[in-house]
Amino acid sequence: MHVVLLGQYPPHIGGVSSHTYLLSQELKKRGDEVYVLTYPHPNVKDLDGVKVETSFAPNIKGLRGLFFLISSMFKLISMVRHYNIDIIHAHFLLPPGLIGVVVGKIMGKKTVVTAHGSDLLIQADKPILRPLIKFVLNNTDYVLVVNNTLKDMALELGVNPEKVHVTVNAIDTVKFNPQNKDFPSDIQLSQNKPIILFVGNLVFQKGVKYLLEAKKLMKYDAELVIVGDGPLRHELEKKADEEEIGDVLFVGARRDVDKIMPCVDLFVLPSVSEGFPITILEALASGLPVVATNAGGVKEVMDESVGLMVEPSKPDELARAMDKILEDRELREVMSTAARKHSIKYVKLDIPY
């Protein structure tokens, strides 16, 4: 079978990109030919036997998605014809899902859409986008969601239950493992303090402002490393500086997270909304205890054996949970062992087509 994946893919960084890469490799293992159409990036190239192409989309705020929508439809039609594509699999409902469904109808091809989180949690609540999302969901052949919360939301929008499948994210446990210790030399940290790690986009949904407030409330002396970039970075850096929240280091988006994770002591995800967080899987595979908020699919990927869950937007609860794990070395070691074991459950993706 010839499959084209549409949406984020390496060298883009993020959870969706990690997911689509692992999916492409699973498809290849079962004998499929895999092609990718992704957003523009200066370092786009074919990767591990997968043909990767891009379409035109200038990096202009508010217009990138529109240009990608239009140019990708023409590009995808060309790829379907040239590579004799059987299935179009779009990741994220808008714009990739809309592109995939429209082209699928034009070309008479089966389509699959995967909802990863904010497309149903946030976009579907916007009156101008809700009709488009319902159109995508009701006109595709398969609707894949990464947790049961998203499944319920899709069903509320009137999707046929028979075509909705929960397919949780997976993790490369060879790449992410406790022995993979090679902390980047360009990140300068204190040598005698435990390290707390956050990895993710610096957007409102990730709740990083609550993490900074929790850091200020903590009793245990630790260093916080924030890996990621996004529209709120300047505001968050300013908050840390003006409120004199010490030992906080912003290091931007990085491609060596697998080298960083095994070298730290605790992973924190303070999201206010979430899909099925790949970063938690990566942290667990790296042997890290986790403190996370009970948002979206978080409760489906972790339990009290591997970390602590608190309510979203509650910096005091977040601070107490981080203190509890960092103060208790024995608890940390038990959770670390359990984390690695727990992650092994997520080594393979379920592909329902």
Side-chain angles (χ1 to χ4, degrees), residues 15-76:
V16 175
S17 181
S18 298
H19 173 85
T20 53
Y21 172 75
L22 288 175
L23 173 60
S24 71
Q25 298 308 300
E26 287 289 338
L27 289 168
K28 283 189 63 63
K29 284 179 187 176
R30 76 177 195 184
D32 296 327
E33 291 290 329
V34 185
Y35 307 86
V36 170
L37 177 57
T38 189
Y39 293 92
H41 191 287
N43 298 320
V44 162
K45 62 181 179 180
D46 297 349
L47 183 61
D48 296 336
V50 175
K51 177 70 175 175
V52 184
E53 300 192 16
T54 65
S55 56
F56 176 71
N59 193 19
I60 302 173
K61 187 177 181 180
L63 293 178
R64 186 179 186 225
L66 176 62
F67 276 102
F68 183 75
L69 175 68
I70 296 169
S71 63
S72 290
M73 284 191 182
F74 290 101
K75 182 72 172 181
L76 187 55

Side-chain angles (χ1 to χ4, degrees), residues 230-292:
L232 295 184
R233 178 171 177 174
H234 175 71
E235 178 183 320
L236 293 167
E237 288 180 323
K238 184 178 179 182
K239 178 181 178 69
D241 183 54
E242 290 183 349
E243 297 182 21
E244 298 182 346
I245 305 171
D247 293 319
V248 177
L249 185 62
F250 291 81
V251 299
R254 299 186 66 98
R255 301 187 185 281
D256 51 2
V257 172
D258 56 310
K259 303 292 195 302
I260 297 173
M261 281 186 167
C263 301
V264 307
D265 301 281
L266 176 65
F267 180 79
V268 181
L269 189 67
S271 302
V272 296
S273 70
E274 192 59 73
F276 191 93
I278 289 180
T279 51
I280 285 186
L281 291 180
E282 292 170 345
L284 295 176
S286 301
L288 289 180
V290 172
V291 170

Side-chain angles (χ1 to χ4, degrees), residues 80 85-86 88 102-111:
V80 169
I85 296 298
D86 300 297
I88 300 167
V102 170
V103 172
K105 284 187 170 294
I106 292 171
M107 304 299 292
K109 301 296 181 180
K110 284 192 173 183
T111 55

